[in-house]
Amino acid sequence: MKTAIKNGKIVTYNNGISVQENQSLIIENNIIADIVENSQVEKKYPDAKIVDATNKAIFSGFANCHTHFRLTLARGIFENESPSNTPPFPGYPRRPLPEISKEEHQIMILLGAIESIKAGTTVAMEVAEGIMDYADELQKSGLRLVLAEQISDRISGSYGEPGEIKSDPQQNENGLEQMSNLYSKWHNYDNSRITVGIAAWAPDMNSPNSLQTIRALQDKLNVLSTIHLNQLWGEVQNIKDNYGTTPTKYLEQNNFLNDKLVAAHCRCMSTEEEKILGEYKSTVSFNAAIAARRGLSPNIKDLEEFGCKIAMGSDNMDENMIVVMRTGMFMERVRMTDGRNPSPNEAYKWATHNGYKSLGIPDAGTLNKGSKADLIIVNLLQPHLTPQTDIVSNWVHMGQNHDVESVMVDGKWIMKEHKILNLDEEYIITKANEIAARVWK
Ligand SMILES: [Zn+2]
């Protein structure tokens, strides 16, 4: 079955962003099989199902390179319980996440998935412990996913909390085993729509042994790795106190840095560390919205100049990548006191093409012939998107999640005209409210 998306404005990335008018996308199986003139569609592809995109734009979907879907449970609370950015660092100040059942956990995860899709995300890297418990439910959303099983072996104190770091090698072994099981069951599932990655939690949550064994397993399985890096000033203090170095150097000493590493945050970082990360060509997941909520900002321009790839992620309590993309552009302009840079095109590229590349999917995140069919249809007939002089600039500066009408992943619609197709949105929202009302009272 072929689908022809006709009469829309197609936004592609190919050594620069361009907007193609008078063209139609021909989708066959999971690929953009062809791009033809609107007038040629019926002649060339008489059996294609036509989707009329008049007054609509077709963008690449967002690549969310760092999220924890379960933390939707903490929405309205953790956004405002930020750790201290100046000494003393008393550890993570927020309340613990309440215990909920496996089934309730799945509801909160699916809430995050629905929110993601409605704001135009097509691929997400989910970072968590025990993903096996909900991988099957989550994959039913139709999203493209990188499932990154998180491992840590610290048993004293919490993330960012000073004190002697004690670790348990058995806890690390258990994590590695969970990772191997997840890989066996889910890596390259459904035409590689689902892949598996490996995550260390953070420099002060993983011992040298843990980092080294995680890296060894990464190499053995040939998968992506990820870690929270230089996220908190408490983490920086901890690594100094326990190992006499900086978080990024600590990772380098333990063979953790590589070009298939997605380092999340990178905001409490020295120039020396930025240069080291750049030398390894690691990706920085610029989690701009949560960074702004925490009152911190990474030095994105410098990281990029030193060789890092810049991609974007939502992190916690907010899965809206439109907001992440816009906040990233705003924050970097404020940080640099430069009202022109980064440009909307740069921010758009970070949030789409760069993200896909960093997640190991180079043939997506753009709408070229032969690319994977991961795309969103955006209704341009909105006051805030009018006039359509520069639709990419409008999308980055003014886009709203309700503008996203339809979402396609791997050639299949997962949202069509605002309706989520694979999950029961109303049921999940109702249940999620019930769960939160009970556990936070
Ligand atoms: Zn995180």
Side-chain angles (χ1 to χ4, degrees):
M1 233 278 286
K2 294 186 192 72
T3 301
I5 305 175
K6 195 179 165 187
N7 303 325
K9 298 185 179 194
I10 304 167
V11 178
T12 62
Y13 174 79
N14 204 342
N15 290 327
I17 287 166
S18 63
V19 181
Q20 298 180 31
E21 304 198 31
N22 308 315
Q23 304 275 321
S24 297
L25 293 174
I26 309 297
I27 318 290
E28 188 172 10
N29 300 320
N30 65 330
I31 298 289
I32 297 170
D34 204 357
I35 300 176
V36 298
E37 295 265 327
N38 287 334
S39 60
Q40 298 299 306
V41 171
E42 281 85 355
K43 207 181 296 172
K44 243 183 131 179
Y45 297 101
D47 57 344
K49 185 176 167 27
I50 306 253
V51 174
D52 182 28
T54 303
N55 290 318
K56 291 168 190 180
I58 303 110
F59 289 105
S60 292
F62 292 111
N64 184 347
C65 290
H66 183 87
T67 191
H68 315 283
F69 285 130
R70 77 177 72 190
L71 284 168
T72 50
L73 181 60
R75 199 195 308 276
I77 297 171
F78 283 7
E79 296 91 326
N80 306 309
E81 296 189 352
S82 298
S84 173
N85 292 327
T86 49
F89 305 110
Y92 230 84
R94 69 192 194 191
R95 284 167 266 184
L97 197 66
E99 291 287 329
I100 53 176
S101 71
K102 194 169 146 182
E103 289 69 29
E104 290 172 331
H105 196 170
Q106 287 175 354
I107 294 286
M108 302 318 299
I109 300 273
L110 296 181
L111 179 70
I114 291 173
E115 186 192 355
S116 301
I117 296 166
K118 295 194 89 162
T121 291
T122 45
V123 61
M125 177 150 76
E126 158 76 353
V127 183
E129 287 168 29
I131 296 177
M132 192 73 106
D133 283 351
Y134 59 85
D136 191 42
E137 292 302 313
L138 179 55
Q139 72 82 18
K140 285 177 191 161
S141 66
L143 278 169
R144 191 180 293 284
L145 295 162
V146 180
L147 304 174
E149 182 71 21
Q150 182 170 285
I151 300 165
S152 75
D153 64 348
R154 180 170 168 184
I155 52 168
S156 60
S158 65
Y159 181 34
E161 187 180 350
E164 189 193 347
I165 295 176
K166 294 191 185 117
S167 48
D168 175 7
Q170 189 56 48
Q171 191 171 307
N172 188 59
E173 282 304 310
N174 295 348
L176 294 169
E177 195 184 326
Q178 285 203 43
M179 166 62 198
S180 297
N181 292 340
L182 190 74
Y183 175 87
S184 300
K185 178 138 193 234
W186 290 105
H187 192 60
N188 288 340
Y189 175 84
D190 189 18
N191 199 23
S192 295
R193 178 172 63 86
I194 312 294
T195 58
V196 170
I198 190 165
W201 183 344
D204 67 339
M205 295 302 289
N206 293 78
S207 67
N209 169 63
S210 177
L211 292 173
Q212 289 164 24
T213 51
I214 289 171
R215 175 63 197 274
L217 189 56
Q218 179 195 3
D219 287 352
K220 186 179 155 208
L221 301 177
N222 190 25
V223 293
L224 294 179
S225 63
T226 188
I227 190 167
H228 298 82
L229 180 59
N230 295 72
Q231 180 181 205
L232 308 176
W233 286 110
E235 168 202 329
V236 175
Q237 186 67 50
N238 252 351
I239 295 296
K240 190 174 173 217
D241 292 348
N242 280 274
Y243 303 108
T245 188
T246 58
T248 306
K249 275 183 137 172
Y250 171 65
L251 295 194
E252 187 185 37
Q253 285 163 6
N254 290 292
N255 194 32
F256 200 78
L257 301 181
N258 65 87
D259 65 354
K260 290 172 78 175
L261 169 70
V262 177
H265 302 296
C266 303
R267 57 199 190 193
C268 306
M269 208 169 199
S270 67
T271 306
E272 187 192 12
E273 291 177 279
E274 289 164 353
K275 284 182 180 164
I276 292 170
L277 198 63
E279 279 168 27
Y280 286 89
K281 303 205 176 323
S282 300
T283 292
V284 172
S285 181
F286 181 16
N287 305 331
I290 193 75
R293 289 180 176 115
R294 299 298 183 230
L296 294 167
S297 176
N299 300 321
I300 290 300
K301 186 167 185 275
D302 312 37
L303 284 158
E304 195 166 31
E305 279 176 7
F306 294 142
C308 292
K309 294 188 281 278
I310 307 299
M312 304 196 93
S314 63
D315 207 11
N316 313 337
M317 288 83 72
D318 178 358
E319 299 298 333
N320 188 330
M321 284 294 290
I322 306 170
V323 170
V324 171
M325 171 173 70
R326 179 177 308 136
T327 306
M329 183 180 74
F330 284 0
M331 214 160 71
E332 190 63 0
R333 285 187 180 187
V334 171
R335 191 183 70 81
M336 299 298 296
T337 54
D338 180 346
R340 295 183 176 203
N341 296 293
S343 67
N345 282 10
E346 278 176 277
Y348 176 77
K349 193 184 156 210
W350 294 340
T352 57
H353 184 69
N354 282 16
Y356 267 90
K357 231 167 130 178
S358 296
L359 294 179
I361 315 156
D363 56 339
T366 180
L367 305 179
N368 293 322
K369 189 173 167 177
S371 302
K372 285 197 166 71
D374 287 20
L375 55 87
I376 62 176
I377 299 184
V378 169
N379 180 7
L380 299 175
L381 279 190
Q382 315 274 8
H384 57 275
L385 298 180
T386 302
Q388 297 168 15
T389 314
D390 182 339
I391 62 170
V392 177
S393 179
N394 286 0
W395 181 228
V396 178
H397 277 282
M398 284 87 175
Q400 303 291 328
N401 52 350
H402 195 74
D403 305 336
V404 182
E405 279 194 351
S406 299
V407 177
M408 176 182 272
V409 172
D410 217 34
K412 295 189 186 83
W413 297 110
I414 63 170
M415 182 168 86
K416 199 78 201 291
E417 283 147 26
H418 298 289
K419 183 167 172 45
I420 295 283
L421 298 182
N422 303 323
L423 300 169
D424 186 339
E425 181 180 355
E426 201 182 315
Y427 172 80
I428 288 163
I429 289 176
T430 305
K431 278 281 162 197
N433 267 323
E434 285 171 16
I435 294 163
R438 190 190 80 240
V439 299
W440 290 114
K441 75 170 177 242

